[in-house]
Amino acid sequence: MLFETHAWVTLDNAVAIYNVYSDVLVATIPVGTNPQFPKRTPDGTKVLVPNLGSNTVSIICTSTNQVLATIPVGLAPTSVAIDPTSTTAYVTNSGSGTVSVISIPTHTVVSTITVGTGPVDVTIARDGSRVYVSNSGSNSVSVINPVTNTVITTIAVGTSPNGLAVSLDNSKLFVVNSGSNNVSVISTATNTILSTIAVGSNPQKIAANPVNPVFMYVTNFGSNSVSVLSTTGLNVITTVPVGINPLGLDVTGDGTQVWVANEGDSSISIINTNTNTIAAALPTSFPPRGITVGRVGSALSPSDPIDLTDPYQLEEITESVCIIVEKVYASCQQRECFPAFTVTLPTGVPPFTFVSMTFANGVIVPGSVVITPIPSRPNFSRVQFTIEIPYTLTLRDSTGTLFTVTGNLPDINKDIVLYFPPTRPEFDFNLRIETRTEVLTSPLFTTATIQLAIGSFVITKVTGIVQLLVPAFGFCPEPTACEEFPVIPENPCLNFFDTTLTPFPSDFFPPQLDSCR
């Protein structure tokens, strides 16, 4: 299993966490007073909860179910929107007429933006280029430039605007007008109203289906129902009865379920989006208000096989993507060591001191490759080639003058066996190498030379350009910190060749783990 999918539901001074596919209550986390409408970060590592009664925002770590930080914001915060990079959050302060801009990594408010009266909801364009805020007391929507954190225009809409959602193609903004019982559809290109859609009584929030761009869902607090909207026809397709007084809602990443928080009867309605019927109803310990649904963290390892029958793994796959890519068919690792590599000192005033030595990625010497099929091993070949690794050595003489010496390490001659898959004669395979080279010991100076021990890790690859069909999971997670290279004793090559003492560097293949730093 690559990840789990949870629903975070705000109750009375707490957040209840449910496993979406088993409907089991996982945990209940205390937060601030009167929490409102939470939002999960796109990378799945955190959930931000605005606490209306505490004037704070709680940040929850999804992997540990613990509150990482509590951030003071403006008066009566209600809703949160998070940018596509999961680094910046926008919080509506309904009592202050402002939006607090939060740096998620540092847990600090970095800016405060004045908007209209009574801002209650906020959303972000799919490309992150605009932030939209509904001002319930001003009957308007403020459009914010997130680069400058300034309001660039204000759009008049219906009475008491509330929930906001942007279409998947980023062309339309849908605004729920609680006092007008309708939804304003705005062109994001022109900031003008395209249409108005009548819905139920006292509508509250809206959510888009992340897989099917045609559908959006609106909670009707006074009608005890959810309106299913068409983003193309700009009309109501059907109405689904739910619990009493539905407020917040969200759609699972696979687009198959809508989770609806019913404040009036302390329940959660789960809608099957294929049939637009109630698939399940869950009781809650207190009246629920807001809800956010999604996976917990990122895929643990992109190399793990994907189980196409497991909904946990498929939940965040939004499409199958055909890409042209250089596929690695075979690879192997080796290492080379030069225990006494010597460079002649430049003209200068001795004594010299060592400043640095850097290395470029190794290259295969043109014309040196010889590939000979092995008759006794089908699809395997003897591969012979020569590698050059350029270096740049920087020294300082006694006057403080810097000297730069460039050159190549001694040629590395390879004679190895590699797999070449069977294919049509016209298919071209490429032989590629990747190296990482390091100075292993302190340099030794003589009157005319500098001597260093140098080790190089080498990966040889057989690649070919192909078309691959891959599931799209989103952005790759941040890699962990690099491993410190161990101190090498007097005989550097002895430990360098010991795979236990000097393992192949992990940052060639960085692990992909979730983190709540």
Side-chain angles (χ1 to χ4, degrees):
M1 181 186 301
L2 296 181
F3 42 66
E4 291 185 345
T5 300
H6 287 172
W8 293 265
V9 183
T10 51
L11 304 176
D12 183 39
N13 306 339
V15 172
I17 304 172
Y18 293 87
N19 184 308
V20 164
Y21 291 102
S22 65
D23 300 341
V24 172
L25 179 64
V26 175
T28 301
I29 305 173
V31 288
T33 304
N34 196 7
Q36 294 294 299
F37 299 93
K39 182 64 69 173
R40 181 187 67 101
T41 57
D43 65 9
T45 62
K46 302 177 182 70
V47 169
L48 276 68
V49 184
N51 304 303
L52 184 140
S54 303
N55 302 326
T56 60
V57 171
S58 300
I59 298 184
I60 296 173
C61 174
T62 60
S63 61
T64 62
N65 292 332
Q66 294 178 331
V67 174
L68 295 173
T70 301
I71 305 170
V73 288
L75 298 178
T78 55
S79 293
V80 180
I82 300 170
D83 77 333
T85 67
S86 300
T87 59
T88 305
Y90 301 84
V91 181
T92 52
N93 303 307
S94 62
S96 302
T98 60
V99 170
S100 295
V101 183
I102 292 177
S103 166
I104 297 177
T106 63
H107 302 161
T108 56
V109 173
V110 295
S111 181
T112 301
I113 307 168
T114 299
V115 289
T117 304
V120 290
D121 205 359
V122 57
T123 194
I124 296 180
R126 301 285 172 175
D127 60 2
S129 62
R130 293 291 182 266
V131 178
Y132 302 97
V133 178
S134 57
N135 305 302
S136 63
S138 302
N139 300 331
S140 65
V141 171
S142 298
V143 183
I144 295 172
N145 181 336
V147 176
T148 60
N149 285 331
T150 56
V151 176
I152 56 176
T153 191
T154 301
I155 307 168
V157 290
T159 305
S160 302
N162 194 335
L164 300 168
V166 177
S167 60
L168 293 193
D169 65 1
N170 216 40
S171 67
K172 302 181 186 73
L173 172 68
F174 290 74
V175 184
V176 176
N177 301 305
S178 298
S180 303
N181 299 332
N182 57 28
V183 174
S184 298
V185 184
I186 296 172
S187 166
T188 57
T190 62
N191 292 325
T192 57
I193 293 181
L194 300 174
S195 180
T196 302
I197 307 171
V199 290
S201 172
N202 194 11
Q204 297 291 310
K205 299 297 181 181
I206 185 170
N209 189 309
V211 176
N212 192 325
V214 174
F215 300 120
M216 286 202 178
Y217 309 88
V218 177
T219 52
N220 301 306
F221 187 86
S223 302
N224 304 328
S225 64
V226 168
S227 296
V228 182
L229 307 187
S230 168
T231 62
T232 55
L234 301 183
N235 63 319
V236 174
I237 298 174
T238 189
T239 301
V240 183
V242 291
I244 299 174
N245 300 143
L247 272 174
L249 80 167
D250 202 4
V251 187
T252 56
D254 61 5
T256 62
Q257 297 181 8
V258 181
W259 281 55
V260 183
N262 303 305
E263 186 180 46
D265 60 5
S266 297
S267 70
I268 297 170
S269 296
I270 302 174
I271 299 174
N272 181 327
T273 59
N274 293 321
T275 61
N276 285 323
T277 58
I278 299 298
L282 307 178
T284 58
S285 56
F286 289 92
R289 300 182 188 91
I291 189 166
T292 185
V293 179
R295 58 174 167 77
V296 178
S298 304
L300 294 183
S301 174
S303 63
D304 288 347
I306 297 173
D307 181 359
L308 297 179
T309 65
D310 185 351
Y312 292 103
Q313 297 191 22
L314 299 181
E315 189 265 346
E316 282 297 316
I317 298 177
T318 59
E319 60 178 330
S320 295
V321 179
C322 182
I323 61 174
I324 297 176
V325 65
E326 189 170 13
K327 178 180 178 180
V328 177
Y329 286 94
S331 62
C332 61
Q333 58 176 266
Q334 293 176 293
R335 58 187 78 196
E336 297 289 335
C337 189
F338 305 98
F341 178 66
T342 302
V343 179
T344 302
L345 293 174
T347 302
V349 181
F352 285 87
T353 56
F354 175 81
V355 177
S356 66
M357 190 173 191
T358 59
F359 304 88
N361 189 58
V363 295
I364 297 176
V365 176
S368 68
V369 178
V370 179
I371 300 176
T372 307
I374 303 174
S376 60
R377 298 181 65 183
N379 303 319
F380 282 84
S381 294
R382 177 185 181 184
V383 183
Q384 299 167 284
F385 58 96
T386 300
I387 300 174
E388 284 184 350
I389 299 179
Y391 69 83
T392 300
L393 173 65
T394 303
L395 303 171
R396 179 181 285 110
D397 73 359
S398 60
T399 68
T401 303
L402 290 177
F403 293 85
T404 299
V405 181
T406 60
N408 295 322
L409 296 181
D411 285 352
I412 301 173
N413 296 310
K414 289 297 178 185
D415 192 350
I416 59 179
V417 175
L418 283 172
Y419 169 76
F420 288 80
T423 186
R424 56 187 171 83
E426 297 88 351
F427 188 86
D428 289 328
F429 287 108
N430 299 312
L431 189 67
R432 298 195 180 278
I433 62 165
E434 184 178 355
T435 65
R436 191 177 87 174
T437 307
E438 299 175 349
V439 176
L440 304 177
T441 59
S442 298
L444 176 64
F445 285 93
T446 67
T447 56
T449 65
I450 177 175
Q451 182 176 292
L452 310 100
I454 296 173
S456 182
F457 299 98
V458 181
I459 290 181
T460 304
K461 306 173 185 179
V462 176
T463 68
I465 303 295
V466 297
Q467 291 187 114
L468 291 182
L469 187 67
V470 298
F473 282 99
F475 295 103
C476 295
E478 178 183 352
T480 59
C482 293
E483 175 185 353
E484 293 291 335
F485 195 80
V487 177
I488 305 299
E490 291 184 3
N491 185 349
C493 292
L494 182 63
N495 278 8
F496 183 73
F497 281 110
D498 188 324
T499 58
T500 301
L501 296 177
T502 310
F504 212 84
S506 61
D507 53 2
F508 262 110
F509 312 99
Q512 314 243 347
L513 301 176
D514 297 326
S515 171
C516 282
R517 294 192 302 273

